[in-house]
Amino acid sequence: MKKIMLFVSVAMLSLSCSKSDDNNTAVDPIFDAEFVQIKSVNEIPVATLKYAGNKVGQRPVGIVEEGGANCKELDRLIVPEDRKVLEYGNFVKVYENNSEGSCKLKWDYLRQIELRSNSSGDMSAKVTQRYNRPATKEELELDPKIKFYVETTNEYSGKIEIGFQAGYLRIEDTNLSDVTEGSQNKGKSYLYFHLPK
């Protein structure tokens, strides 16, 4: 009887181990695909690239469903002819008088991403954001017609990962990268954009 109990215990232990091992082998078909970092901004296609999805910290890549009610479907990355300053438009749902809400730009203006590459192929970026600052009382006294001034803030300056992965353009999200310590989403975050067909 003891031998039978020992056999059953060993069998159950081996089954539970193999089940937990299977859980650890989950594959992210997008993020686990080969990533090819660009060496020059000239590798980025000149186009308005539609947002595909993102990866936040340890989470797998999430792709936006077409035709859903999600405003992220409107996000876009504009790559101009000279490829020097990319512009990223991030849309969010805003609830004003309309109870259903409407999709509007998160910021007053598109976020600007100025890219530079050095001789070793490292890519760096300066990310700036422009916004409308209300005129001060003193400014209104000087010019009563002025409603606001456009100001620029530097949001990020440093190295950035940008390249191609699983048929998408992948760019490090400098706004969300290095999510806070203790968060289950700790780590770098990335934005994915559809490439032109």
Side-chain angles (χ1 to χ4, degrees), residues 4-196:
I4 293 173
M5 290 298 286
L6 180 64
F7 175 76
V8 170
S9 298
V10 169
M12 287 178 68
L13 183 63
S14 67
L15 281 173
S16 66
C17 288
S18 66
K19 275 189 177 180
S20 65
D21 289 347
D22 290 346
N23 292 339
N24 293 334
T25 58
V27 174
D28 184 334
I30 297 173
F31 195 71
D32 290 340
E34 180 187 9
F35 173 68
V36 180
Q37 179 136 347
I38 64 170
K39 302 290 184 196
S40 163
V41 293
N42 294 330
E43 295 176 51
I44 305 170
V46 173
T48 296
L49 305 178
K50 190 176 172 185
Y51 177 83
N54 69 0
K55 179 181 185 339
V56 179
Q58 299 301 312
R59 290 183 188 172
V61 174
I63 298 297
V64 172
E65 288 183 35
E66 299 243 0
N70 194 337
C71 292
K72 299 300 292 174
E73 204 179 306
L74 300 175
D75 283 13
R76 62 192 183 275
L77 184 72
I78 301 167
V79 184
E81 208 55 59
D82 64 6
R83 297 178 177 92
K84 286 183 181 173
V85 180
L86 314 185
E87 291 189 313
Y88 173 49
N90 185 0
F91 286 79
V92 292
K93 190 157 272 195
V94 176
Y95 298 91
E96 292 169 348
N97 298 334
N98 182 352
S99 61
E100 291 182 18
S102 58
C103 295
K104 293 192 174 178
L105 270 176
K106 180 179 179 181
W107 311 294
D108 292 335
Y109 301 94
L110 299 176
R111 174 173 279 157
Q112 296 190 321
I113 306 166
E114 183 181 343
L115 294 174
R116 298 173 301 281
S117 54
N118 61 25
S119 56
S120 64
D122 287 334
M123 194 66 59
S124 61
K126 180 179 177 184
V127 180
T128 55
Q129 185 58 57
R130 293 173 298 150
Y131 62 95
N132 296 334
R133 175 183 61 78
T136 64
K137 184 179 174 183
E138 292 80 18
E139 290 167 339
L140 285 171
E141 286 172 2
L142 291 172
D143 186 354
K145 293 179 184 173
I146 286 289
K147 297 275 191 281
F148 59 84
Y149 286 90
V150 178
E151 290 209 345
T152 302
T153 57
N154 186 14
E155 296 195 342
Y156 176 82
S157 193
K159 285 189 178 180
I160 192 169
E161 287 181 37
I162 181 169
F164 303 103
Q165 187 173 40
Y168 299 101
L169 174 70
R170 184 183 101 181
I171 183 166
E172 184 179 345
D173 186 351
T174 58
N175 199 36
L176 283 179
S177 277
D178 298 321
V179 178
T180 55
E181 194 73 41
S183 166
Q184 65 178 2
N185 297 322
K186 183 177 180 282
K188 289 187 176 182
S189 297
Y190 303 94
L191 302 171
Y192 286 84
F193 295 92
H194 293 284
L195 292 169

